[in-house]
Amino acid sequence: MYPRRLRIWTAVILVVYAISFPMPAFRGRELGPDDIGVIVSDLNGLQAFLLGPVMLADGLPAWLANPFFWLGLLAFWRRRWRWAMRFALFALLFALTVPIWRSLAAQDRRPIIGVPTFGFYVWVGAMALLAIASLYALRVGQSGVVIEESPTGAP
């Protein structure tokens, strides 16, 4: 991949990640009679990021998506495309534990974070963009030319 494209992809991914922080990430909900310890206020991305280690201690591994994302971005910048894709996919897996954790926590009547909103999905989108960019970089290779296979298998 050309250095200019690398810089553009990195900038776009970082901008998407950064704009998720001021956006509303989780919408609060009203308390019921059995809801003790439920987060009821709306959280923006930065607040969710800062509360992440607390939620990690409660069994929600979604915050771990952040270090995997950063490692993936570092690998992408160093042109380690396969590692970047691996880290990005792990980041996506951790981020997408939020809906699963919400349903399990609701069944056990454990404290529940709010409903994921647009900012959460933008945050997840940054990780998806990193995975897509890594896949693209793998396909392009070092030459900057997209490698296409012929139908017969011959070059």
Side-chain angles (χ1 to χ4, degrees):
M1 179 182 292
Y2 293 121
R4 183 169 185 256
R5 286 186 187 166
L6 177 68
R7 286 192 302 269
I8 291 171
W9 271 107
T10 304
V12 168
I13 292 166
L14 281 172
V15 166
V16 170
Y17 183 76
I19 64 171
S20 72
F21 279 79
M23 291 181 169
F26 294 97
R27 187 183 67 232
R29 62 183 187 84
E30 294 183 20
L31 288 174
D34 297 329
D35 293 332
I36 297 173
V38 176
I39 298 173
V40 292
S41 64
D42 292 346
L43 294 176
N44 66 27
L46 180 61
Q47 292 167 326
F49 177 78
L50 295 174
L51 282 175
V54 174
M55 298 308 287
L56 184 61
D58 192 38
L60 176 61
W63 188 85
L64 290 174
N66 290 300
F68 278 100
F69 172 77
W70 301 327
L71 288 171
L73 201 58
L74 179 64
F76 184 77
W77 186 253
R78 296 177 132 198
R79 300 178 186 208
R80 306 283 192 248
W81 315 126
R82 282 187 175 81
W83 279 104
M85 189 182 324
R86 289 174 187 144
F87 284 130
L89 291 176
F90 273 111
L92 274 169
L93 287 174
F94 278 118
L96 294 175
T97 60
V98 168
I100 296 166
W101 188 83
R102 279 184 47 79
S103 64
L104 292 175
Q107 293 171 1
D108 295 342
R109 299 229 181 245
R110 293 173 41 205
I112 301 174
I113 57 175
V115 177
T117 58
F118 189 67
F120 170 78
Y121 296 107
V122 170
W123 177 69
V124 172
M127 294 162 207
L129 272 176
L130 179 58
I132 291 166
S134 301
L135 179 63
Y136 173 76
L138 276 171
R139 292 287 294 159
V140 169
Q142 298 295 328
S143 66
V145 177
V146 176
I147 302 165
E148 295 188 24
E149 298 176 21
S150 65
T152 61

